Amino acid sequence: MPSILIDSDSCCDGEQVAAKTASAVGGRLVGEELFEQAAERYDLALNTLRKAFFQGPTLLSLSEAARRRGIACVRAALASELLTDQVVYHGPMGHLLIAGISHVIRVRVTGRLEERLARLMQRDGVSEPRARKLLAVEGEQRSWLAREFFRVEWDSPELYDLMLDRHASGVDGVVAAMEQEIARPKYRQMSYSAQSMADLELEARATAQLLAIQPDLRVQARAGALLLQAVVTAGQARRQEKRLRELAQHLDGVTAVEVKVLEAAMGRAGRPLS
Amino acid sequence: MTKGLKVLVLDDEPIVGKRLKPALSKLGCEVETFTDPVEAFARIEEKEFDIVITDILMGEIDGIQVLDHAVHRWPRCKVIMITGYAMMHMARQAMEKGAFDFIAKPFNPDDLRAIVSRAAEALGLALDPASQENGD
């Protein structure tokens, strides 16, 4: 059965939609407890992982390397969930963390601004100007994170398989639409998509582990074989290549490791996460 | 004794048919191989195959058209797509049109054998390696 990744505007009953969808399709609901799993698995502070996704770029915010690693660890945790079960995930950036898997459906649940403002004002007891500011900041943060770390506009329609308006359809209407969509044969798991998911999980897990020692590492995985690419400071190539290879070889599911390390003349090149 | 599964293999690279025919014959399948999609199309029109294994990108007629033709002509036929240029939209298109499975090249022969076994099971048939040895 296919899995569903739900990305929702705030104050749109996204959690309720996800819970009802999981119940309707018989899937396992996964929410932001994923962050706790990732924190434990990769020995990072939960607060660091939350900052990676929800804190904008400020003088005192996470470094680029720390944010990149935080995103990678949550991605790896989500990929691990998707390997084992039919999952309904509701959390930040699911549609960007996991892409290109034909049996994983990416859904955006939107809401009308005026409805969201009213909900936020009631929930948090804030004025309308304050609520507008909060929603604007939230949107800017998502846009920045998507552009900076995924090189996309986070709400581009082509990134989603389905876009649903919560306020036009109601929660039950959104759930019904997802139930109908998930039943389409095109989302059925096949040998190719199962292998793609296994490759993505290995790549995500290797990335999460190895970014700790090589912040600009790029990883590709196919059928157990890893290709690691990095740029290091002059004189470090041989040592770092050996270190990366040794660590990668001990990861579960790895059958072969190829490492390509270049020495930079000055500093390191920044690379997108995916 | 169960008759051999009737399998058609279509790939414009001759090596694919040459490798798959003996591998599938060992499972007790009766295999016909084609490199020309037009000829394969005509063969599917005249004969019911249990399983069609087809490449996708082949020129004049692509594998999606072969899939469409096979499942409409013979609704119980199981079509397995193979391609060296696998992409998500292509895979989804094939599944939406009724493909049984979709596998990317290069693939492990054991993986294809497993898919063929599942297809046979879905057809309510059993693979019978002995039937090939006995010339059935």
Side-chain angles (χ1 to χ4, degrees), chain B residues 44-97:
Chain B
I44 290 168
E45 179 61 30
E46 68 186 17
K47 175 179 173 176
E48 182 178 9
F49 289 88
D50 298 304
I51 295 173
V52 168
I53 300 172
T54 177
D55 190 11
I56 295 182
L57 297 176
M58 291 181 289
E60 192 179 337
I61 296 178
D62 68 28
I64 299 293
Q65 291 171 284
V66 173
L67 158 67
D68 218 25
H69 176 52
V71 299
H72 280 97
R73 181 72 179 93
W74 309 107
R76 63 183 287 282
C77 174
K78 302 300 180 193
V79 182
I80 300 166
M81 316 299 291
I82 59 176
T83 179
Y85 304 97
M87 287 179 283
M88 185 177 78
H89 75 273
M90 191 189 283
R92 282 184 170 172
Q93 185 188 19
M95 300 309 279
E96 189 83 335
K97 286 187 175 290

Side-chain angles (χ1 to χ4, degrees), chain A residues 221-243:
Chain A
R222 185 178 163 90
L226 285 181
L227 170 61
L228 312 179
Q229 295 173 281
V231 178
V232 302
T233 48
Q236 294 296 312
R238 193 168 291 183
R239 177 172 169 267
Q240 193 64 337
E241 184 184 326
K242 184 174 178 224
R243 213 168 151 217

Side-chain angles (χ1 to χ4, degrees), chain B residues 1 10 24 39 41 44 63 74 79 83 85 91 104 114 116 123 128:
Chain B
M1 182 175 296
L10 168 60
L24 294 172
E39 289 177 7
F41 208 89
I44 290 168
W74 309 107
V79 182
T83 179
Y85 304 97
V116 169
L123 288 164
D128 187 6

Side-chain angles (χ1 to χ4, degrees), chain A residues 28-173:
Chain A
R28 186 164 55 87
L29 181 64
V30 174
E32 286 185 20
E33 71 271 17
L34 193 74
F35 282 59
E36 293 167 14
Q37 289 172 26
E40 192 178 339
R41 197 172 295 172
Y42 296 102
D43 197 26
L44 288 173
L46 179 59
N47 197 38
T48 299
L49 295 184
R50 293 192 61 76
K51 279 183 181 178
F53 281 84
F54 299 115
Q55 185 190 57
T58 67
L59 275 176
L60 299 177
S61 63
L62 288 183
S63 67
E64 181 187 326
R67 195 186 294 267
R68 189 180 305 279
R69 181 146 192 252
I71 293 171
C73 290
V74 173
R75 179 169 178 260
L78 179 56
S80 174
E81 294 289 335
L82 291 170
L83 255 193
T84 56
D85 220 340
Q86 184 195 5
V87 160
V88 176
Y89 170 70
H90 178 249
M93 301 288 176
H95 66 303
L96 299 183
L97 296 174
I98 307 290
I101 308 297
S102 60
H103 67 265
V104 175
I105 307 171
R106 301 181 296 171
V107 179
R108 176 149 181 245
V109 178
T110 63
R112 293 185 197 134
L113 179 60
E114 298 311 313
E115 303 272 359
R116 294 173 61 211
L117 282 170
R119 180 76 66 88
L120 183 56
M121 288 163 62
Q122 185 185 37
R123 187 189 77 190
D124 292 4
V126 297
S127 65
E128 186 185 323
R130 177 72 181 146
R132 282 188 186 275
K133 177 75 177 168
L134 287 170
L135 291 184
V137 167
E138 178 193 285
E140 283 160 15
Q141 157 64 8
R142 291 174 90 170
S143 292
W144 173 80
L145 194 72
R147 271 191 231 116
E148 190 68 19
F149 291 89
F150 298 93
R151 297 290 191 257
V152 295
E153 295 299 321
W154 74 271
D155 56 353
S156 288
E158 59 263 26
L159 298 175
Y160 300 94
D161 298 305
L162 193 62
M163 294 179 73
L164 301 166
D165 184 334
R166 177 259 178 269
H167 291 115
S169 308
V171 168
D172 290 341

